[in-house]
Amino acid sequence: MDRIAITGGARLNGEIPISGAKNSAIKLMAASLLTEEPLRLTNMPRLADTRFLGKLLQRLGTEVVEAEGEDGPETLLRTKEIVSGFAPYDLVRQMRASFNVLGPLLARTGQAKVSLPGGCTIGARPVDLHLKALEALGARIDLHEGYVYAQAPGGLTGGRIDFPFNSVGATEHAMLAAVLARGETVMTNAACEPELVDLADCLNKMGAHVTGAGTSVIRIQGVGQLHGAVHAVMPDRIETGTYAVAAAMAGGEVRLTRTRSDFIQALLDKMVEAGVEVTPHNDGLTVRRNGALLKAVEVETGVYPGFATDLQAQFMALMTLADGESVIKETIFENRFMHAPELSRLGADIAVQGGEARIRGVQALEGAQVMATDLRASVSLVIAGLAARGETVVHRVYHLDRGFERLEQKLSDCGAQIRRLKGDIEGEED
Ligand code: UD1
């Protein structure tokens, strides 16, 4: 299993181009199941998660072709025919969002058998809201032996979906199904994340009638069929925020390009409060810190446009070196502080109680061996390693490969001392 080694202390200076958003790309790829015509996705990130989903889609009947386009990586997806409505445990387990093929399969063919994804390290992560939404569209759902059996022999019908709380995945899933349902679907208390707007834009290019995406009420007029389209995946706001924090942690000046600063305004406000210089520009933003001590600030994660839970671990790494005590409250996932004990191995002073972490800033971190536990947690360890004295080795970097494209390359281009160590370590458990 690969590891990443970082020798801390180098400042970051330069430019980092931001890739297409993983969390958007994987839902857009699932949308290709809804039409027999080709869907061409540009600005595609090349990640383990997009590869997993590509494999699953190929099993279901999608032709998946990766190419290098004029403006970077593209993926052409074409599902002339659904050859199987079966998504096995092995593939869904590897990447939870694979579960989102259920809605499109059901909408296009009237049936599907998709594995339940199970829990993960950041919490139980149920899919009850996804299933209730599909039931509201007339699907019959049965659960047996870890699988969802879904049927809508006469096709899906539009309906009213009142979400009890915001769920990004369930809102997207319902959208992916309702576009081909008969009649109107109205969703209330819908999630407002930018990836949902990206999905709605792409579906509308494919001939769907979705309005209100990005607000809490989404209306969809179902259509008989969708057609092909070309769509550019939105920039990855979590990757943007991650490198913004990395630059603040290491010090120096980094320009983040091909992205948008407004997607991470809540993070940037906190960074400015902590004493980091942030300058937005047309194509992204510049982050600058010239050795001044950081100030401890309080953060509470929330749904968009609040502070993204996917940036919480990175911000915690930053706060380990701040002056004073910061409090970070996690309100989205129940168990999302797995990075705290690993940061403590680097010398951080963190006390976790329930959904709250108290971080008392220390003078310096010291390199150590640490273990990645999930995608965002693992990158927080890399960020901490950038500022730690000596060498930090992050184990289980397959988590990082799921969501960060060319991470070592992007950071080393700005002067970070970071390299990948290939291969196994004897005795390491998976
Ligand atoms: C998505 C993102 C993830 C991000 C999260 C919150 C993808 C692939 N992942 O995850 O990176 O951290 O949004 O912004 O886009 N819940 C239920 N029942 C359900 C569905 C969700 O109880 O049926 C709960 C979850 O356990 C969680 C909360 O709702 O506590 C929010 O989850 P949700 O917004 O659905 O997150 P994901 O779509 O899984």
Side-chain angles (χ1 to χ4, degrees):
M1 217 174 305
D2 291 358
R3 289 153 289 146
I4 283 187
I6 308 127
T7 305
R11 289 185 158 233
L12 297 184
N13 282 295
E15 190 172 307
I16 299 181
I18 299 300
S19 302
K22 169 187 88 81
N23 284 355
S24 194
I26 52 186
K27 318 301 167 56
L28 295 167
M29 287 173 77
S32 69
L33 290 170
L34 292 165
T35 174
E36 57 184 48
E37 293 187 15
L39 176 63
R40 189 170 131 222
L41 298 175
T42 64
N43 197 34
M44 271 294 287
R46 297 277 185 248
L47 300 164
D49 271 12
T50 51
R51 270 199 306 280
F52 284 143
L53 186 58
K55 262 201 255 169
L56 172 59
L57 291 175
Q58 279 170 332
R59 247 185 113 111
L60 304 178
T62 310
E63 210 183 300
V64 182
V65 180
E66 295 191 342
E68 205 47 40
E70 265 170 36
D71 199 27
E74 301 185 353
T75 302
L76 192 73
L77 303 117
R78 180 163 200 183
T79 319
K80 281 191 197 147
E81 199 190 343
I82 306 271
V83 297
S84 161
F86 175 49
Y89 176 63
D90 264 0
L91 290 178
V92 179
R93 177 181 59 92
Q94 290 186 58
M95 208 262 292
R96 297 182 54 80
S98 307
F99 186 68
N100 279 34
V101 299
L102 174 62
L105 286 174
L106 194 56
R108 182 142 162 216
T109 68
Q111 57 178 358
K113 176 185 172 186
V114 174
S115 171
L116 285 164
C120 72
T121 49
I122 62 173
R125 298 189 81 176
V127 287
D128 53 325
L129 300 185
H130 297 236
L131 299 180
K132 282 200 187 106
L134 295 176
E135 281 175 336
L137 301 177
R140 221 190 81 196
I141 304 279
D142 294 298
L143 304 180
H144 296 295
E145 297 168 342
Y147 279 88
V148 178
Y149 291 76
Q151 288 197 331
L156 294 170
T157 45
R160 204 183 154 85
I161 305 171
D162 299 313
F163 289 110
F165 54 88
N166 280 181
S167 160
V168 180
T171 307
E172 287 167 336
H173 205 163
M175 193 188 281
L176 280 165
V179 286
L180 285 184
R182 264 192 318 280
E184 188 183 52
T185 297
V186 179
M187 295 189 232
T188 61
N189 209 10
C192 299
E193 269 64 8
E195 292 76 13
L196 260 152
V197 180
D198 203 30
L199 178 61
D201 285 349
C202 177
L203 290 168
N204 285 341
K205 285 181 195 164
M206 294 166 72
H209 292 284
V210 182
T211 54
T215 74
S216 61
V217 181
I218 298 178
R219 285 174 197 277
I220 299 173
Q221 291 293 340
V223 294
Q225 58 181 25
L226 295 176
H227 51 71
V230 181
H231 182 78
V233 180
M234 65 172 271
D236 197 313
R237 65 192 167 101
I238 306 305
E239 193 196 16
T240 309
T242 298
Y243 289 125
V245 175
M249 186 75 172
E253 180 171 329
V254 176
R255 188 177 168 94
L256 304 172
T257 59
R258 298 173 65 91
T259 187
R260 281 175 52 172
S261 62
D262 57 326
F263 284 153
I264 50 162
Q265 198 55 54
L267 166 74
L268 297 181
D269 289 347
K270 289 294 170 186
M271 285 178 52
V272 169
E273 202 183 319
V276 181
E277 257 183 81
V278 174
T279 316
H281 46 77
N282 280 347
D283 189 31
L285 63 150
T286 297
V287 177
R288 195 177 302 110
R289 186 166 80 86
N290 287 325
L293 194 58
L294 292 161
K295 210 175 108 211
V297 295
E298 306 215 338
V299 162
E300 182 169 328
T301 62
V303 297
Y304 190 81
F307 191 103
T309 173
D310 286 352
L311 291 169
Q312 179 258 106
Q314 298 86 319
F315 199 79
M316 186 183 289
L318 185 66
M319 289 295 98
T320 61
L321 289 182
D323 182 27
E325 180 180 275
S326 56
V327 179
I328 298 185
K329 284 191 189 141
E330 172 57 55
T331 70
I332 308 291
F333 290 109
E334 64 206 29
N335 189 24
R336 211 176 193 178
F337 287 133
M338 305 280 281
H339 42 284
E342 298 301 313
L343 289 170
S344 300
R345 287 180 56 76
L346 300 173
D349 180 353
I350 305 171
V352 173
Q353 202 171 27
E356 199 173 287
R358 287 178 178 272
I359 304 109
R360 266 186 294 269
V362 293
Q363 294 275 314
L365 297 175
E366 236 181 276
Q369 309 263 334
V370 285
M371 192 176 75
T373 51
D374 74 53
L375 171 55
R376 312 305 176 184
S378 46
V379 85
S380 77
L381 302 174
V382 173
I383 288 174
L386 290 173
R389 282 190 199 132
E391 190 176 68
T392 297
V393 179
V394 182
H395 293 249
R396 299 193 181 175
V397 297
Y398 57 85
H399 288 295
L400 272 180
D401 295 335
R402 287 188 41 215
F404 290 93
E405 190 177 43
R406 294 182 289 110
L407 174 106
E408 310 96 276
Q409 170 94 52
K410 288 185 182 188
L411 285 172
S412 59
D413 282 353
C414 289
Q417 306 269 310
I418 180 168
R419 66 192 202 285
R420 182 174 287 250
L421 309 173
K422 286 274 176 198
D424 268 344
I425 283 200
E426 219 177 308
E428 189 177 43
E429 283 176 27
D430 187 1

